Amino acid sequence: MSSPVAIVTGASSGIGLALTKHLLSQNWSVVLLDVQNPPAEAALPKDKSLYIHCDVGSWDSQAAAFKQAFEWKGRLDFAALNAGIDDRDDIFRTAALDQAEFGNHAPRKPDMSTFDVNLLGAYYGAKLFTHYYLRNPSKSRKLGCIVMTSSMAGLYPHAGVPQYTATKYGVVGLVRSLAPVALKVSGIRVNSICPAFVPTNLAPPGLMEAWPKSGITPMSTIMRAYDEFLDEEKAWNGQCVEASLEELTYRGTPVPPGSEKVEIDIHPLRLFDEIYRERNIKFARRSKI
Ligand SMILES: NC(=O)c1ccc[n+]([C@@H]2O[C@H](COP(=O)([O-])OP(=O)(O)OC[C@H]3O[C@@H](n4cnc5c(N)ncnc54)[C@H](O)[C@@H]3O)[C@@H](O)[C@H]2O)c1
């Protein structure tokens, strides 16, 4: 079996950089995608790591980066879709400023790059990873693996960062809905980590200092969550794990109340999958014309 290759987005800082080092220590080769270079002091080994400049919110940028990443060692086995930013717009706190500046005119179009990076970026990454994973010439592991970084804000709304909250809820929804088909059709497991507060460069000035020390989640808890999802025996799929303080708490997919009372021959989720499969394949064929 050839040695496995991981691709990590948002790899030049915080959780992504810690994961890169963690994987390198376990004999993975790692491709780092980021809009900024990894810090020189990280001293990443040249033969086992490759940095590619990439804006995950741009399909063209991410597609070019995945192509280069695949060509590097001729395979990709694990994608940590981790790049993320916080809010770049505010509806209510800036409403008075907009009133003064724009009057009867519509205010300036909001900056939606949080959605581009956190949600579109994760979707693009899942599509690109699947494409290249299926081109691997051999297996290095039993199954492919995608782990998306959501947040506690993907489970509990965070006032003040509604865009961030919506995108992280979106990541949870993506993971739960992608996972069954990804495993069945492509042999890829899809899971998500929902970290609590980890000191990184994500926190705006002041937040880190104001945060209670007893409420800080160590990076080791986040790395433990990655280890869980990379564990081939445990073979987690469709899970969102809350990583808070020293605890990992699994948040499986909830079941709608009353669903046990509906008399059916086929599970509703399987029905969804079968109906949409045919329709989506038709869409894909049509877009080639
Ligand atoms: N730190 C926390 O407390 C915390 C909690 C919950 C979730 N998260 C999530 O963890 C992930 C990693 O964040 P972090 O805390 O390590 O922050 P960080 O700011 O230290 O690292 C994020 C990295 O993403 C990169 N990045 C930003 N925009 C990008 C883009 N368009 N394309 C490619 N790379 C881009 C940045 O350059 C940076 O290197 C994010 O998705 C974040 O939402 C963090």
Side-chain angles (χ1 to χ4, degrees):
M1 281 191 177
S2 22
S3 92
V5 182
I7 186 160
V8 180
T9 71
S12 293
S13 172
I15 292 172
L17 184 58
L19 175 64
T20 297
K21 292 178 184 168
H22 186 63
L23 290 168
L24 287 167
S25 75
Q26 295 178 356
N27 206 31
W28 286 77
S29 296
V30 184
V31 184
L32 299 86
L33 304 192
D34 206 298
V35 285
Q36 56 167 340
N37 285 298
E41 60 271 20
L44 302 171
K46 287 206 168 53
D47 56 331
K48 301 283 273 179
S49 69
L50 173 71
Y51 167 70
I52 304 173
H53 183 273
C54 167
D55 173 1
V56 297
S58 150
W59 169 259
D60 289 347
S61 177
Q62 211 182 146
F66 262 81
K67 181 173 183 293
Q68 192 185 339
F70 180 76
E71 286 169 355
W72 180 47
K73 301 268 180 190
R75 62 179 312 109
L76 288 177
D77 302 282
F78 166 42
L81 306 175
N82 164 74
I85 57 173
D86 54 14
D87 285 38
R88 297 294 185 257
D89 189 71
D90 189 316
I91 297 176
F92 302 105
R93 308 270 184 208
T94 60
L97 290 176
D98 287 341
Q99 292 290 317
E101 189 176 351
F102 299 103
N104 282 343
H105 298 286
R108 198 172 292 116
K109 183 180 171 194
D111 182 337
M112 302 302 283
S113 45
T114 311
F115 282 78
D116 294 341
V117 176
N118 297 7
L119 192 50
L120 292 189
Y123 191 92
Y124 293 160
K127 175 124 189 152
L128 288 161
F129 175 75
T130 302
H131 179 75
Y132 287 105
Y133 175 75
L134 295 175
R135 301 188 68 73
N136 282 344
S138 60
K139 278 192 174 237
S140 72
R141 297 166 54 83
K142 287 184 202 153
L143 294 166
C145 186
I146 294 174
V147 177
M148 297 187 185
T149 313
S150 176
S151 167
M152 292 283 267
L155 299 168
Y156 317 102
H158 281 33
V161 281
Q163 292 197 351
Y164 187 78
T165 298
T167 59
K168 296 301 185 179
Y169 265 72
V171 167
V172 167
L174 255 186
V175 165
R176 288 176 173 165
S177 52
L178 288 175
V181 184
L183 184 60
K184 190 170 84 177
V185 178
S186 303
I188 295 172
R189 297 184 293 112
V190 187
N191 294 290
S192 171
I193 301 175
C194 300
F197 187 83
V198 185
T200 66
N201 292 321
L202 185 71
L207 184 57
M208 194 110 75
E209 297 71 21
W211 202 262
K213 297 276 171 290
S214 59
I216 286 181
T217 295
M219 194 61 91
S220 55
T221 305
I222 311 300
M223 295 305 114
R224 211 149 42 77
Y226 278 110
D227 286 342
E228 282 285 305
F229 287 148
L230 285 167
D231 189 320
E232 302 247 63
E233 299 310 315
K234 292 184 179 161
W236 290 109
N237 193 40
Q239 282 290 337
C240 298
V241 71
E242 244 184 273
S244 180
L245 304 178
E246 308 289 339
E247 301 293 321
L248 296 180
T249 310
Y250 290 88
R251 302 290 184 206
T253 303
V255 179
S259 50
E260 72 286 356
K261 294 186 199 139
V262 184
E263 287 173 27
I264 40 162
D265 298 329
I266 180 168
H267 192 281
L269 297 182
R270 243 184 66 213
L271 182 64
F272 250 70
D273 172 26
E274 288 184 8
I275 301 288
Y276 277 94
R277 177 181 57 198
E278 296 308 323
R279 208 203 51 162
N280 291 350
I281 289 172
K282 267 190 208 145
F283 279 154
R285 291 219 171 97
R286 219 180 298 156
S287 69
K288 269 191 221 138
I289 300 165

